[in-house]
Each structure stands twice: as C-alpha cells, then as structure tokens.
Amino acid sequence: MVGLRAKIDTGASTSALHASDIQPFQRDGVAWVRFTAHFGTQVQRRHRCEAPLVTVKTIKSSNGQAQVRYVIRTSLSLGDRMWPVEFTLACRKTMRYRVLLGSKALVDAQLVVNPALTYVQEKPLLSNLSGAQ
C-alpha cells in the first residue's frame, strides 16, 4: 500500500501510472508485465512490481503524439472507497503528479469532481477497507 497524490483529469479516458523498466513476460502461458513504479516528487520512492497484462493500448497525449502503452489493473483506495482501476504504464517523470486518474475510473467509482476545490479528500481509511474489493 502506497499513498500518493494524483491528478484528476476528466479529459483523459484512461488513468496512468509513472513507470520505467517496463518488461512484458509470460507466466504459465499468461501475459504479464514487470515494471518499476515511481512515487513522490521531492523524495523519490520506487517499487518493483509485476501484474497481469490487461491489454496494450495506443494513447494519444495532450500534445497529439501517439504512444503504445501496457495496461494493468489494480485496486485504488480513496477515502472509504476501493475499486479496481486500469492504469496505463507511462513515463511521467516530467509531470508534477505521478498518477493521473482518468474519467473511466471516476465513472466506475461514481465520483463527482468539483473543479473549484483542491486536496479535499482525506487519506484512505485502511481499517475500513480490509477485505474490500
């Protein structure tokens, strides 16, 4: 469990996670991906991860460039909620936020965005989430 800040982007369909050293591989005939997830901006934290590969997508960035990205699914905790979210693995080292939360994740959790507010969500209530999916 890692706590981090995320940028809410209702203009982006898919969520994105800052990752490097991305390597696809096979495990028991199933496609997986191994990568280093990066958290934090002032203090760099890294975590080596493995996840089943959901799909490979071509994503068009805000500057119009197309990029092929691996997609994984993992659980996201926000306040008292936890739900599965698909993330593309992308280099976001030049971005202020290491995680971008797209509109599909917001719709799946039935979240409403108020663009006039910032940093209104408390840290996840982990004791309320044990065993939740």
Side-chain angles (χ1 to χ4, degrees), residues 1-12:
M1 178 66 58
V2 176
L4 59 137
R5 296 182 318 182
K7 177 182 172 111
I8 304 297
D9 187 351
T10 59

